[in-house]
PDB file of all heavy atoms in Angstrom:
ATOM      1  N   LEU D   1       8.181  -0.680   7.186  1.00 71.00           N
ATOM      2  CA  LEU D   1       9.562  -0.397   6.799  1.00 71.00           C
ATOM      3  C   LEU D   1       9.605  -0.077   5.318  1.00 71.00           C
ATOM      4  O   LEU D   1       8.832  -0.659   4.516  1.00 71.00           O
ATOM      5  CB  LEU D   1      10.437  -1.610   7.092  1.00 71.00           C
ATOM      6  CG  LEU D   1      10.559  -1.978   8.582  1.00 71.00           C
ATOM      7  CD1 LEU D   1      11.331  -3.292   8.706  1.00 71.00           C
ATOM      8  CD2 LEU D   1      11.216  -0.877   9.367  1.00 71.00           C
ATOM      9  N   GLY D   2      10.504   0.816   4.940  1.00 78.00           N
ATOM     10  CA  GLY D   2      10.662   1.235   3.546  1.00 78.00           C
ATOM     11  C   GLY D   2      10.821   0.126   2.535  1.00 78.00           C
ATOM     12  O   GLY D   2      10.164   0.096   1.479  1.00 78.00           O
ATOM     13  N   MET D   3      11.691  -0.848   2.862  1.00 83.00           N
ATOM     14  CA  MET D   3      11.921  -1.954   1.928  1.00 83.00           C
ATOM     15  C   MET D   3      10.642  -2.784   1.734  1.00 83.00           C
ATOM     16  O   MET D   3      10.300  -3.211   0.624  1.00 83.00           O
ATOM     17  CB  MET D   3      13.031  -2.870   2.500  1.00 83.00           C
ATOM     18  CG  MET D   3      13.349  -4.070   1.629  1.00 83.00           C
ATOM     19  SD  MET D   3      14.476  -5.216   2.418  1.00 83.00           S
ATOM     20  CE  MET D   3      13.476  -5.937   3.650  1.00 83.00           C
ATOM     21  N   MET D   4       9.930  -3.038   2.819  1.00 89.00           N
ATOM     22  CA  MET D   4       8.687  -3.788   2.768  1.00 89.00           C
ATOM     23  C   MET D   4       7.637  -3.025   1.952  1.00 89.00           C
ATOM     24  O   MET D   4       6.960  -3.602   1.115  1.00 89.00           O
ATOM     25  CB  MET D   4       8.185  -4.058   4.187  1.00 89.00           C
ATOM     26  CG  MET D   4       7.074  -5.065   4.260  1.00 89.00           C
ATOM     27  SD  MET D   4       6.425  -5.314   5.950  1.00 89.00           S
ATOM     28  CE  MET D   4       7.742  -4.916   7.055  1.00 89.00           C
ATOM     29  N   LYS D   5       7.499  -1.713   2.210  1.00 91.00           N
ATOM     30  CA  LYS D   5       6.546  -0.868   1.522  1.00 91.00           C
ATOM     31  C   LYS D   5       6.849  -0.896   0.026  1.00 91.00           C
ATOM     32  O   LYS D   5       5.950  -1.025  -0.809  1.00 91.00           O
ATOM     33  CB  LYS D   5       6.530   0.545   2.065  1.00 91.00           C
ATOM     34  CG  LYS D   5       5.379   1.340   1.538  1.00 91.00           C
ATOM     35  CD  LYS D   5       5.371   2.796   1.861  1.00 91.00           C
ATOM     36  CE  LYS D   5       5.639   3.236   3.242  1.00 91.00           C
ATOM     37  NZ  LYS D   5       5.498   4.673   3.432  1.00 91.00           N
ATOM     38  N   LYS D   6       8.140  -0.742  -0.327  1.00 92.00           N
ATOM     39  CA  LYS D   6       8.506  -0.731  -1.748  1.00 92.00           C
ATOM     40  C   LYS D   6       8.111  -2.036  -2.401  1.00 92.00           C
ATOM     41  O   LYS D   6       7.517  -2.055  -3.515  1.00 92.00           O
ATOM     42  CB  LYS D   6       9.990  -0.497  -1.908  1.00 92.00           C
ATOM     43  CG  LYS D   6      10.449  -0.443  -3.374  1.00 92.00           C
ATOM     44  CD  LYS D   6      11.919  -0.354  -3.492  1.00 92.00           C
ATOM     45  CE  LYS D   6      12.398  -0.323  -4.949  1.00 92.00           C
ATOM     46  NZ  LYS D   6      11.693  -1.130  -5.947  1.00 92.00           N
ATOM     47  N   SER D   7       8.382  -3.142  -1.747  1.00 93.00           N
ATOM     48  CA  SER D   7       8.048  -4.464  -2.300  1.00 93.00           C
ATOM     49  C   SER D   7       6.568  -4.613  -2.514  1.00 93.00           C
ATOM     50  O   SER D   7       6.096  -5.048  -3.535  1.00 93.00           O
ATOM     51  CB  SER D   7       8.616  -5.533  -1.378  1.00 93.00           C
ATOM     52  OG  SER D   7       8.258  -6.835  -1.815  1.00 93.00           O
ATOM     53  N   VAL D   8       5.788  -4.291  -1.461  1.00 95.00           N
ATOM     54  CA  VAL D   8       4.322  -4.403  -1.538  1.00 95.00           C
ATOM     55  C   VAL D   8       3.782  -3.558  -2.678  1.00 95.00           C
ATOM     56  O   VAL D   8       2.976  -3.992  -3.513  1.00 95.00           O
ATOM     57  CB  VAL D   8       3.631  -4.054  -0.212  1.00 95.00           C
ATOM     58  CG1 VAL D   8       2.160  -3.868  -0.385  1.00 95.00           C
ATOM     59  CG2 VAL D   8       3.943  -5.127   0.843  1.00 95.00           C
ATOM     60  N   PHE D   9       4.222  -2.326  -2.770  1.00 95.00           N
ATOM     61  CA  PHE D   9       3.708  -1.421  -3.798  1.00 95.00           C
ATOM     62  C   PHE D   9       4.196  -1.787  -5.220  1.00 95.00           C
ATOM     63  O   PHE D   9       3.480  -1.567  -6.156  1.00 95.00           O
ATOM     64  CB  PHE D   9       3.963   0.065  -3.446  1.00 95.00           C
ATOM     65  CG  PHE D   9       2.920   0.619  -2.540  1.00 95.00           C
ATOM     66  CD1 PHE D   9       3.076   0.548  -1.166  1.00 95.00           C
ATOM     67  CD2 PHE D   9       1.712   1.097  -3.023  1.00 95.00           C
ATOM     68  CE1 PHE D   9       2.072   1.003  -0.311  1.00 95.00           C
ATOM     69  CE2 PHE D   9       0.738   1.544  -2.210  1.00 95.00           C
ATOM     70  CZ  PHE D   9       0.872   1.510  -0.797  1.00 95.00           C
ATOM     71  N   ASP D  10       5.385  -2.403  -5.312  1.00 95.00           N
ATOM     72  CA  ASP D  10       5.794  -2.941  -6.599  1.00 95.00           C
ATOM     73  C   ASP D  10       4.818  -3.995  -7.078  1.00 95.00           C
ATOM     74  O   ASP D  10       4.531  -4.121  -8.270  1.00 95.00           O
ATOM     75  CB  ASP D  10       7.221  -3.475  -6.525  1.00 95.00           C
ATOM     76  CG  ASP D  10       8.275  -2.411  -6.476  1.00 95.00           C
ATOM     77  OD1 ASP D  10       7.969  -1.233  -6.744  1.00 95.00           O
ATOM     78  OD2 ASP D  10       9.449  -2.773  -6.207  1.00 95.00           O
ATOM     79  N   ILE D  11       4.320  -4.818  -6.140  1.00 95.00           N
ATOM     80  CA  ILE D  11       3.390  -5.905  -6.466  1.00 95.00           C
ATOM     81  C   ILE D  11       2.050  -5.370  -6.873  1.00 95.00           C
ATOM     82  O   ILE D  11       1.441  -5.851  -7.822  1.00 95.00           O
ATOM     83  CB  ILE D  11       3.281  -6.865  -5.261  1.00 95.00           C
ATOM     84  CG1 ILE D  11       4.595  -7.616  -5.048  1.00 95.00           C
ATOM     85  CG2 ILE D  11       2.120  -7.871  -5.486  1.00 95.00           C
ATOM     86  CD1 ILE D  11       4.687  -8.327  -3.692  1.00 95.00           C
ATOM     87  N   ILE D  12       1.544  -4.338  -6.157  1.00 96.00           N
ATOM     88  CA  ILE D  12       0.148  -3.872  -6.382  1.00 96.00           C
ATOM     89  C   ILE D  12       0.023  -2.694  -7.344  1.00 96.00           C
ATOM     90  O   ILE D  12      -1.112  -2.320  -7.658  1.00 96.00           O
ATOM     91  CB  ILE D  12      -0.582  -3.602  -5.067  1.00 96.00           C
ATOM     92  CG1 ILE D  12       0.013  -2.393  -4.350  1.00 96.00           C
ATOM     93  CG2 ILE D  12      -0.605  -4.829  -4.198  1.00 96.00           C
ATOM     94  CD1 ILE D  12      -0.790  -1.853  -3.170  1.00 96.00           C
ATOM     95  N   THR D  13       1.121  -2.098  -7.779  1.00 92.00           N
ATOM     96  CA  THR D  13       1.057  -0.936  -8.650  1.00 92.00           C
ATOM     97  C   THR D  13       0.100  -1.100  -9.835  1.00 92.00           C
ATOM     98  O   THR D  13      -0.680  -0.155 -10.115  1.00 92.00           O
ATOM     99  CB  THR D  13       2.434  -0.500  -9.101  1.00 92.00           C
ATOM    100  OG1 THR D  13       3.154   0.007  -7.974  1.00 92.00           O
ATOM    101  CG2 THR D  13       2.402   0.576 -10.189  1.00 92.00           C
ATOM    102  N   PRO D  14       0.071  -2.241 -10.527  1.00 93.00           N
ATOM    103  CA  PRO D  14      -0.841  -2.354 -11.687  1.00 93.00           C
ATOM    104  C   PRO D  14      -2.333  -2.226 -11.282  1.00 93.00           C
ATOM    105  O   PRO D  14      -3.163  -1.904 -12.103  1.00 93.00           O
ATOM    106  CB  PRO D  14      -0.580  -3.760 -12.223  1.00 93.00           C
ATOM    107  CG  PRO D  14       0.777  -4.101 -11.739  1.00 93.00           C
ATOM    108  CD  PRO D  14       0.956  -3.393 -10.447  1.00 93.00           C
ATOM    109  N   MET D  15      -2.680  -2.435 -10.014  1.00 95.00           N
ATOM    110  CA  MET D  15      -4.067  -2.364  -9.563  1.00 95.00           C
ATOM    111  C   MET D  15      -4.440  -0.987  -9.007  1.00 95.00           C
ATOM    112  O   MET D  15      -5.618  -0.787  -8.724  1.00 95.00           O
ATOM    113  CB  MET D  15      -4.310  -3.408  -8.487  1.00 95.00           C
ATOM    114  CG  MET D  15      -4.055  -4.820  -8.882  1.00 95.00           C
ATOM    115  SD  MET D  15      -4.395  -5.914  -7.519  1.00 95.00           S
ATOM    116  CE  MET D  15      -6.160  -5.745  -7.370  1.00 95.00           C
ATOM    117  N   LEU D  16      -3.482  -0.156  -8.757  1.00 96.00           N
ATOM    118  CA  LEU D  16      -3.706   1.095  -7.961  1.00 96.00           C
ATOM    119  C   LEU D  16      -4.487   2.170  -8.697  1.00 96.00           C
ATOM    120  O   LEU D  16      -5.315   2.886  -8.109  1.00 96.00           O
ATOM    121  CB  LEU D  16      -2.411   1.688  -7.465  1.00 96.00           C
ATOM    122  CG  LEU D  16      -1.890   1.119  -6.147  1.00 96.00           C
ATOM    123  CD1 LEU D  16      -0.502   1.617  -5.852  1.00 96.00           C
ATOM    124  CD2 LEU D  16      -2.835   1.423  -5.019  1.00 96.00           C
ATOM    125  N   SER D  17      -4.251   2.387  -9.996  1.00 96.00           N
ATOM    126  CA  SER D  17      -4.847   3.502 -10.697  1.00 96.00           C
ATOM    127  C   SER D  17      -6.399   3.457 -10.629  1.00 96.00           C
ATOM    128  O   SER D  17      -7.013   2.506 -11.030  1.00 96.00           O
ATOM    129  CB  SER D  17      -4.378   3.468 -12.165  1.00 96.00           C
ATOM    130  OG  SER D  17      -4.934   4.592 -12.833  1.00 96.00           O
ATOM    131  N   GLY D  18      -6.917   4.532 -10.046  1.00 97.00           N
ATOM    132  CA  GLY D  18      -8.391   4.657  -9.933  1.00 97.00           C
ATOM    133  C   GLY D  18      -9.038   3.745  -8.899  1.00 97.00           C
ATOM    134  O   GLY D  18     -10.259   3.676  -8.809  1.00 97.00           O
ATOM    135  N   SER D  19      -8.219   3.131  -8.036  1.00 98.00           N
ATOM    136  CA  SER D  19      -8.791   2.161  -7.075  1.00 98.00           C
ATOM    137  C   SER D  19      -9.382   2.846  -5.805  1.00 98.00           C
ATOM    138  O   SER D  19      -9.062   3.979  -5.484  1.00 98.00           O
ATOM    139  CB  SER D  19      -7.712   1.196  -6.609  1.00 98.00           C
ATOM    140  OG  SER D  19      -6.701   1.901  -5.873  1.00 98.00           O
ATOM    141  N   LEU D  20     -10.306   2.136  -5.187  1.00 98.00           N
ATOM    142  CA  LEU D  20     -10.812   2.495  -3.879  1.00 98.00           C
ATOM    143  C   LEU D  20     -10.051   1.614  -2.890  1.00 98.00           C
ATOM    144  O   LEU D  20     -10.080   0.407  -2.964  1.00 98.00           O
ATOM    145  CB  LEU D  20     -12.312   2.209  -3.830  1.00 98.00           C
ATOM    146  CG  LEU D  20     -13.035   2.633  -2.548  1.00 98.00           C
ATOM    147  CD1 LEU D  20     -12.784   4.149  -2.243  1.00 98.00           C
ATOM    148  CD2 LEU D  20     -14.530   2.395  -2.683  1.00 98.00           C
ATOM    149  N   PHE D  21      -9.320   2.271  -1.959  1.00 98.00           N
ATOM    150  CA  PHE D  21      -8.326   1.645  -1.094  1.00 98.00           C
ATOM    151  C   PHE D  21      -8.758   1.812   0.328  1.00 98.00           C
ATOM    152  O   PHE D  21      -9.060   2.953   0.768  1.00 98.00           O
ATOM    153  CB  PHE D  21      -6.987   2.331  -1.342  1.00 98.00           C
ATOM    154  CG  PHE D  21      -5.783   1.624  -0.741  1.00 98.00           C
ATOM    155  CD1 PHE D  21      -4.930   0.876  -1.595  1.00 98.00           C
ATOM    156  CD2 PHE D  21      -5.452   1.792   0.581  1.00 98.00           C
ATOM    157  CE1 PHE D  21      -3.787   0.268  -1.017  1.00 98.00           C
ATOM    158  CE2 PHE D  21      -4.327   1.200   1.124  1.00 98.00           C
ATOM    159  CZ  PHE D  21      -3.488   0.457   0.339  1.00 98.00           C
ATOM    160  N   LEU D  22      -8.761   0.751   1.115  1.00 98.00           N
ATOM    161  CA  LEU D  22      -9.093   0.824   2.544  1.00 98.00           C
ATOM    162  C   LEU D  22      -7.832   0.540   3.364  1.00 98.00           C
ATOM    163  O   LEU D  22      -7.220  -0.529   3.193  1.00 98.00           O
ATOM    164  CB  LEU D  22     -10.194  -0.179   2.889  1.00 98.00           C
ATOM    165  CG  LEU D  22     -10.608  -0.310   4.375  1.00 98.00           C
ATOM    166  CD1 LEU D  22     -11.109   1.024   4.928  1.00 98.00           C
ATOM    167  CD2 LEU D  22     -11.653  -1.381   4.526  1.00 98.00           C
ATOM    168  N   ASP D  23      -7.444   1.437   4.226  1.00 97.00           N
ATOM    169  CA  ASP D  23      -6.246   1.290   5.056  1.00 97.00           C
ATOM    170  C   ASP D  23      -6.709   1.084   6.487  1.00 97.00           C
ATOM    171  O   ASP D  23      -7.078   2.029   7.192  1.00 97.00           O
ATOM    172  CB  ASP D  23      -5.368   2.585   4.948  1.00 97.00           C
ATOM    173  CG  ASP D  23      -4.031   2.468   5.653  1.00 97.00           C
ATOM    174  OD1 ASP D  23      -3.774   1.462   6.350  1.00 97.00           O
ATOM    175  OD2 ASP D  23      -3.250   3.429   5.535  1.00 97.00           O
ATOM    176  N   LEU D  24      -6.721  -0.209   6.918  1.00 97.00           N
ATOM    177  CA  LEU D  24      -7.167  -0.551   8.285  1.00 97.00           C
ATOM    178  C   LEU D  24      -5.981  -0.475   9.249  1.00 97.00           C
ATOM    179  O   LEU D  24      -4.891  -0.878   8.908  1.00 97.00           O
ATOM    180  CB  LEU D  24      -7.758  -1.989   8.292  1.00 97.00           C
ATOM    181  CG  LEU D  24      -8.986  -2.199   7.443  1.00 97.00           C
ATOM    182  CD1 LEU D  24      -9.365  -3.685   7.412  1.00 97.00           C
ATOM    183  CD2 LEU D  24     -10.145  -1.343   7.943  1.00 97.00           C
ATOM    184  N   TYR D  25      -6.236  -0.019  10.461  1.00 95.00           N
ATOM    185  CA  TYR D  25      -5.141   0.238  11.439  1.00 95.00           C
ATOM    186  C   TYR D  25      -4.154   1.188  10.825  1.00 95.00           C
ATOM    187  O   TYR D  25      -2.937   0.908  10.728  1.00 95.00           O
ATOM    188  CB  TYR D  25      -4.432  -1.086  11.819  1.00 95.00           C
ATOM    189  CG  TYR D  25      -5.392  -2.177  12.301  1.00 95.00           C
ATOM    190  CD1 TYR D  25      -5.837  -3.158  11.446  1.00 95.00           C
ATOM    191  CD2 TYR D  25      -5.825  -2.217  13.624  1.00 95.00           C
ATOM    192  CE1 TYR D  25      -6.666  -4.164  11.875  1.00 95.00           C
ATOM    193  CE2 TYR D  25      -6.677  -3.228  14.065  1.00 95.00           C
ATOM    194  CZ  TYR D  25      -7.089  -4.216  13.196  1.00 95.00           C
ATOM    195  OH  TYR D  25      -7.918  -5.196  13.619  1.00 95.00           O
ATOM    196  N   ALA D  26      -4.639   2.338  10.352  1.00 94.00           N
ATOM    197  CA  ALA D  26      -3.866   3.225   9.498  1.00 94.00           C
ATOM    198  C   ALA D  26      -2.660   3.895  10.149  1.00 94.00           C
ATOM    199  O   ALA D  26      -1.781   4.371   9.413  1.00 94.00           O
ATOM    200  CB  ALA D  26      -4.809   4.317   8.935  1.00 94.00           C
ATOM    201  N   GLY D  27      -2.536   3.944  11.446  1.00 91.00           N
ATOM    202  CA  GLY D  27      -1.413   4.610  12.054  1.00 91.00           C
ATOM    203  C   GLY D  27      -1.347   6.070  11.637  1.00 91.00           C
ATOM    204  O   GLY D  27      -2.316   6.818  11.829  1.00 91.00           O
ATOM    205  N   VAL D  28      -0.250   6.533  11.070  1.00 91.00           N
ATOM    206  CA  VAL D  28      -0.126   7.941  10.612  1.00 91.00           C
ATOM    207  C   VAL D  28      -0.512   8.073   9.142  1.00 91.00           C
ATOM    208  O   VAL D  28      -0.403   9.153   8.575  1.00 91.00           O
ATOM    209  CB  VAL D  28       1.294   8.471  10.837  1.00 91.00           C
ATOM    210  CG1 VAL D  28       1.594   8.489  12.337  1.00 91.00           C
ATOM    211  CG2 VAL D  28       2.356   7.764  10.038  1.00 91.00           C
ATOM    212  N   GLY D  29      -0.987   6.977   8.528  1.00 94.00           N
ATOM    213  CA  GLY D  29      -1.489   7.067   7.183  1.00 94.00           C
ATOM    214  C   GLY D  29      -0.514   6.821   6.063  1.00 94.00           C
ATOM    215  O   GLY D  29      -0.811   7.029   4.894  1.00 94.00           O
ATOM    216  N   SER D  30       0.673   6.332   6.391  1.00 94.00           N
ATOM    217  CA  SER D  30       1.714   6.224   5.369  1.00 94.00           C
ATOM    218  C   SER D  30       1.385   5.271   4.214  1.00 94.00           C
ATOM    219  O   SER D  30       1.723   5.551   3.069  1.00 94.00           O
ATOM    220  CB  SER D  30       3.097   5.861   5.982  1.00 94.00           C
ATOM    221  OG  SER D  30       3.094   4.476   6.395  1.00 94.00           O
ATOM    222  N   VAL D  31       0.714   4.185   4.503  1.00 96.00           N
ATOM    223  CA  VAL D  31       0.367   3.217   3.429  1.00 96.00           C
ATOM    224  C   VAL D  31      -0.747   3.819   2.514  1.00 96.00           C
ATOM    225  O   VAL D  31      -0.573   3.791   1.307  1.00 96.00           O
ATOM    226  CB  VAL D  31      -0.047   1.861   4.030  1.00 96.00           C
ATOM    227  CG1 VAL D  31      -0.565   0.916   2.904  1.00 96.00           C
ATOM    228  CG2 VAL D  31       1.156   1.211   4.712  1.00 96.00           C
ATOM    229  N   GLY D  32      -1.766   4.326   3.107  1.00 97.00           N
ATOM    230  CA  GLY D  32      -2.862   4.939   2.309  1.00 97.00           C
ATOM    231  C   GLY D  32      -2.392   6.139   1.523  1.00 97.00           C
ATOM    232  O   GLY D  32      -2.801   6.359   0.393  1.00 97.00           O
TER     233      GLY D  32
END
C-alpha cells in the first residue's frame, strides 16, 4: 500500500544511495 511504502522508504532513505538491494517475492517489482 502507498502509505506503507512511503513510511518504509522514509525510514530507509538515508541508506539507499548506492546500495545493493534485494527484493524477495518481488511481485511486479514496485518496491525494488
Side-chain angles (χ1 to χ4, degrees):
L1 298 174
M3 178 188 73
M4 191 183 334
K5 191 189 312 184
K6 181 185 180 325
S7 176
V8 167
F9 277 91
D10 284 350
I11 293 166
I12 67 170
T13 290
M15 300 180 68
L16 274 172
S17 183
S19 66
L20 185 54
F21 191 103
L22 177 59
D23 187 355
L24 298 174
Y25 307 97
V28 299
S30 71
V31 172

